[in-house]
Amino acid sequence: MNSWEEIGEHSYLLNHAKSVEKCYNNNFQDEKIKQACFNKTLFHINVPYDRREEPDESNKLTKRRKRMKTIGALDEITQKILENHSSIQHKLLINSDRSYTNNKPALEFVDQFNTSTNYDGDKRFRGQNTTEQSIITEMDGEVFLIPPRVSFINSSVERFAEYIEQKETFDLIVLDPPWWNKYIRRVKAVNAKAAYRMLTNADIKAIPLERHLHQNTLVAVWCTNAPSHIEAVTKEFFPKWGIELVACWYWIKITSAGEPICQFKEPQHKQPYERIFIGLPAGSTMAKSFPSEWFLYSIPSAIHSHKPPLYDLFTSKFLPPHATCLELFARSLYPGCTSYGMEVLKLQNKRLYELATEDEDGKTDGCVALE
C-alpha cells in the first residue's frame, strides 16, 4: 500500500513506512538502486505509549484503577473520534505478530540517529533537483536522498520573503508549525539535536502567505489540541491570510495492532490525535464541495512530529495533476514541491532509509539498511 486507502466513511489508512516508496521506485540516477523506503524499525510502534512492558501482576489493579481515574469525561470532538475508531478498528490491524511487547527498537533507532547525525539548522542554503530521477548527494559529511522535481530552502521563516518570489502562487500550502510547548523545551535541555526551534503564534501569523494564494489554493495547517493554538489558526492566521476555514481533519495515531497510541482523555490532556485545519480563499469555487471532516489513521514514526504525507491524498482527489506545492517548516522533500524550513533535509538522511539494489547479474536484493 503506497498511499491512503479508504477503509470506511470519511476514514483512510496509510502505511507510513512505505509512503515514499512510490517516489523512489526504479527512479535513481544510480541504476543499481531500484527502490528506497523508510527503515521499518522507525514504525515499530507496537504498544501504546502509556502502557508499560508486561506489568507485574501485583501492580495490575493499582495501574488499572489509576488509568480509569484519568480518562475522565471526553469532549465532543474526542468522543466522535473514539466512536469512529471503534467502528473501523477491525480494519486497522497492520501487524498481527503479537510477540512485540514494547517500542524499544524504534526508540533506540531514533536515539542513535539523533546523537550520531550532524545537521546545522542555522546554515542557510538552497537546492533543487529538476530531473525526473532521484539523486543521492553529500553535504557536511552526511548523505541525503533528493527526490525528483523538488526545490528546497534551508532558512528561518523570517527570511521567507527573500526566497519565495512575491508573485509565485501555489495550489497547495502545508504548514507544520513548530508550536511553542513544554515537551520540546524538555527535550532540548537533554539533547539539542533531537529538538527543533519553536516559534510564537505571532511569528507564524506574520508569514505573508496571502501573497502566494490563487482563488483555489488549499492551505492545510497541522495543529496540536492546545486551545491557544486552535484559536490562533482559526481566528488569527486564517483571517490575516484571507483564508476561510472549510474543514477540520483528524490524524489518529495507532499502533501496529490498530490501538490508539495513548488513551482518549478529557480536555487539556495528551490525545492520540492531531488536527489538520484546511482553508480556502474567500469565494473559492471549491469551498462548498470540500469534505469538512475526515479521519486519517497511520502508525506514527518514532521521530518526534514526523507527519504522514498529505500530498498524495490532495493531488488524487482535489488538486490538478502536477499541482504546485509549498511546505513550510518542512523536514523532508516530496516530488513536485518546494520545501522550506530550518531542517529541510533532516528526514532525507540516508541513515533513515533502506535501499533495494541490483547486483551485476541483474538480480534485485531486498531492502537493506544503510549505515
Side-chain angles (χ1 to χ4, degrees), residues 97-364:
D97 186 349
R98 296 308 181 102
S99 63
Y100 296 107
T101 59
N102 58 56
N103 304 324
K104 189 175 180 180
L107 300 178
E108 288 183 343
F109 183 96
V110 172
D111 284 343
Q112 194 278 333
F113 173 74
N114 286 332
T115 56
S116 64
T117 54
N118 175 35
Y119 195 97
D120 184 1
D122 292 320
K123 185 175 181 178
R124 283 198 293 154
F125 61 86
R126 65 189 307 172
Q128 61 180 350
N129 176 12
T130 59
T131 75
E132 292 294 325
Q133 295 178 308
S134 298
I135 296 171
I136 294 181
T137 189
E138 184 174 345
M139 184 178 67
D140 296 335
E142 295 287 347
V143 179
F144 300 94
L145 278 61
I146 311 298
R149 296 175 287 105
V150 299
S151 62
F152 51 91
I153 299 103
N154 201 96
S155 181
S156 64
V157 74
E158 289 88 351
R159 295 180 175 272
F160 178 79
E162 297 179 26
Y163 289 101
I164 307 297
E165 294 185 15
Q166 185 168 341
K167 294 182 179 180
E168 187 173 6
T169 61
F170 299 89
D171 299 312
L172 171 66
I173 300 177
V174 178
L175 298 89
D176 183 13
W179 300 105
W180 190 271
N181 67 81
K182 294 179 180 178
Y183 172 79
I184 292 299
R185 278 183 285 172
R186 290 197 301 268
V187 171
K188 203 171 186 68
V190 176
N191 181 6
K193 290 184 178 182
Y196 49 76
R197 183 178 299 181
M198 297 176 289
L199 294 179
T200 66
N201 290 349
D203 294 327
I204 301 167
K205 179 181 177 180
I207 302 169
L209 278 194
E210 60 274 12
R211 302 175 184 174
H212 304 285
L213 311 177
H214 57 64
Q215 183 184 15
N216 291 318
T217 298
L218 276 170
V219 178
V221 181
W222 288 96
C223 189
T224 72
N225 293 306
S228 60
H229 296 158
I230 294 171
E231 187 165 314
V233 175
T234 58
K235 297 184 179 180
E236 296 182 44
F237 301 174
F238 276 14
K240 188 262 183 179
W241 296 334
I243 296 293
E244 292 183 349
L245 180 67
V246 297
C248 182
W249 295 358
Y250 305 96
W251 174 39
I252 300 92
K253 294 171 268 189
I254 57 173
T255 70
S256 60
E259 302 173 275
I261 60 163
C262 67
Q263 291 179 322
F264 291 96
K265 302 182 181 72
E266 69 272 25
Q268 308 298 324
H269 287 76
K270 182 177 178 62
Q271 303 285 4
Y273 66 87
E274 295 184 35
R275 303 171 197 234
I276 309 165
F277 288 112
I278 300 170
L280 284 163
S284 169
T285 56
M286 293 174 59
K288 292 183 179 180
S289 61
F290 198 85
S292 62
E293 187 174 77
W294 273 9
F295 303 90
L296 310 178
Y297 291 85
S298 75
I299 299 175
S301 163
I303 298 173
H304 179 72
S305 196
H306 183 187
K307 303 298 194 299
L310 298 177
Y311 301 105
D312 279 347
L313 193 58
F314 280 115
T315 55
S316 65
K317 295 183 178 294
F318 311 111
L319 297 176
H322 308 295
T324 57
C325 303
L326 169 68
E327 182 178 0
L328 288 179
F329 310 108
R331 293 189 295 164
S332 58
L333 309 178
Y334 202 83
C337 295
T338 298
S339 297
Y340 190 113
M342 294 187 70
E343 296 180 321
V344 73
L345 294 182
K346 186 169 185 177
L347 301 187
Q348 298 301 132
N349 195 304
K350 185 187 74 171
R351 300 173 189 237
L352 297 176
Y353 291 84
E354 298 175 337
L355 302 187
T357 59
E358 185 175 88
D359 60 26
E360 295 180 357
D361 296 327
K363 296 179 180 179
T364 302

Side-chain angles (χ1 to χ4, degrees), residues 64-82:
R64 188 180 301 118
R65 285 175 177 167
K66 183 177 180 180
R67 286 197 298 269
M68 290 176 66
K69 288 180 180 179
T70 58
I71 291 176
L74 305 183
D75 61 29
E76 182 181 354
I77 296 296
T78 304
Q79 182 64 38
K80 178 165 50 180
I81 296 171
L82 171 62

